[in-house]
Amino acid sequence: MSHHLDTPLAARTGQLFIDDLYVFPGQGGTVLVMDVNSDITGFHAQPGFHPEGRYEFKVHVDGAAEEELTYRISFGAPDGDGRQPLRLDVLTGAAARDDAAPGETLLEGRTGEPCAGNGVRLWAGRAVDPFYIDLSLLAVVNGAVAKGTAPDLASWDPEGAQNSFAGTTVQSIVLEVPHTDALLRPGARTGVWCATKLATDAGGWRQVNRGGHPMMWPIFWPGDTHFTNPANTRHPSQDFAADGAHLAGQVAAVVRASGRAGDPDGYGETVAGQLLPDVLPYVVGAPATYGFAGRNGRPLADNAPEVMLSLVTGTAVPSGLTPAVAAGQRSGSFPYVIPA
């Protein structure tokens, strides 16, 4: 039976929309977290993970343009309790870039239950969203980026900031890979991104959405609610050629209007060079931080929105929120998120 899986309409589901990617050292290895399907989107948030989809963590090593390691998670149809069977496969080398490659199965289990084997741990299910931001602040910056104007922060009161994501949930995939892994070994310089893919009627796979740095879509493509922007389907290695000038121009326009940089065009190019390709840098085993001084992975607690909004506008944009506002939305032990 044809499910018309290769039509744009089939992809328009929160189950395939990536909310956040986190990368940080865990209790004994590297933790990769992909959040999808936030219930803040309302009607987009269908229960569970897409049974005809794939959820992949992609890892580049030593600045390579192509990934050398892929962890692929797939799910079956939900049972009467809403639990879904899941499988974790690993692919390395050329296979990591091949949708047709079967990979090596490392784990099988069910959503809502931790599973472990072959040195890795995996948990997937509905979780409390650890993300925090006041969306009214994002709206101010969105307007400035879209119009090429200075952000009007005169009416923004950081002391009155509220976490718009308080009480919201996501479908979370948490994978912990031990430091004994041949590629994710301590000291390895990696770049990490994630992708969701959907089976097609022709028997292949279509990339639907992807994520690397936080806040890229909300800042630069806020209207892409139907996954129509080509950035969704391309590989990160194509990012700078496709969108480098566009991002640089948007940032330059904002800082020029604000008078925040002596060389707005140069600043815009620098920011575009830092954000593209849209791959999150991480030195395995090093402390993770997504901050003003540097970006190495991204822990659950860091105020990444404040960093990104400040970077794009060329000035400090106080969010009014600290990691303490979401302290109850994360854990120091596996699975690091709070099951909902």
Side-chain angles (χ1 to χ4, degrees):
M1 178 183 294
S2 171
H3 298 286
H4 303 288
L5 295 174
D6 49 0
T7 65
L9 183 61
R12 294 174 188 173
T13 166
Q15 293 176 321
L16 297 171
F17 182 78
I18 297 168
D19 300 298
D20 284 290
L21 170 68
Y22 301 92
V23 182
F24 55 91
Q27 293 169 301
T30 300
V31 180
L32 309 172
V33 180
M34 182 193 319
D35 287 342
V36 302
N37 204 11
S38 170
D39 63 2
I40 202 170
T41 58
F43 72 93
H44 286 295
Q46 301 176 29
F49 299 93
H50 203 303
E52 300 286 352
R54 283 176 173 174
Y55 300 78
E56 297 183 340
F57 293 107
K58 301 282 195 176
V59 182
H60 300 228
V61 181
D62 289 332
E66 303 287 339
E67 60 270 33
E68 288 291 323
L69 174 65
T70 294
Y71 284 100
R72 176 186 295 160
I73 303 95
S74 53
F75 300 87
D79 60 20
D81 295 328
R83 300 289 180 92
Q84 295 176 261
L86 61 82
R87 187 179 76 237
L88 170 67
D89 296 308
V90 62
L91 304 94
T92 58
R97 306 180 286 275
D98 185 358
D99 285 336
E104 174 190 355
T105 299
L106 295 182
L107 289 175
E108 291 185 294
R110 292 204 316 160
T111 55
E113 302 172 359
C115 53
N118 291 288
V120 302
R121 297 195 287 184
L122 178 69
W123 184 92
R126 178 63 65 177
V128 176
D129 194 345
F131 185 75
Y132 56 97
I133 190 176
D134 189 318
L135 288 176
S136 62
L137 174 60
L138 175 61
V140 172
V141 176
N142 276 157
V145 172
K147 299 174 184 176
T149 59
D152 183 8
L153 297 171
S155 61
W156 168 246
D157 178 15
E159 293 186 1
Q162 299 291 322
N163 179 17
S164 300
F165 286 79
T168 64
T169 61
V170 290
Q171 292 291 148
S172 189
I173 300 171
V174 182
L175 173 65
E176 186 165 13
V177 182
H179 284 153
T180 54
D181 184 87
L183 290 175
L184 287 180
R185 64 192 184 283
R189 295 188 309 111
T190 69
V192 183
W193 57 289
C194 59
T196 57
K197 298 181 178 181
L198 186 64
T200 70
D201 290 332
W205 295 88
R206 180 161 64 91
Q207 184 172 293
V208 173
N209 196 212
R210 67 182 177 100
H213 287 283
M215 302 293 292
M216 292 292 285
W217 257 258
I219 293 174
F220 295 109
W221 304 290
D224 187 43
T225 58
H226 289 160
F227 310 104
T228 56
N229 191 293
N232 290 296
T233 58
R234 70 172 177 249
H235 190 271
S237 60
Q238 302 170 314
D239 278 347
F240 197 83
D243 267 331
H246 173 67
L247 264 67
Q250 285 190 301
V251 172
V254 172
V255 298
R256 180 178 291 110
S258 304
R260 297 292 183 180
D263 180 8
D265 292 328
Y267 182 79
E269 291 170 3
T270 297
V271 171
Q274 291 180 4
L275 298 179
L276 299 177
D278 187 12
V279 174
L280 193 61
Y282 178 61
V283 176
V284 176
T289 181
Y290 203 92
F292 297 103
R295 291 173 285 280
N296 184 58
R298 180 189 173 192
L300 296 172
D302 276 9
N303 195 342
E306 186 174 80
V307 174
M308 283 291 287
L309 297 181
S310 300
L311 179 67
V312 168
T313 58
T315 187
V317 178
S319 71
L321 301 176
T322 68
V325 75
Q329 296 163 217
R330 57 184 182 269
S331 170
S333 59
F334 188 84
Y336 307 104
V337 297
I338 307 298

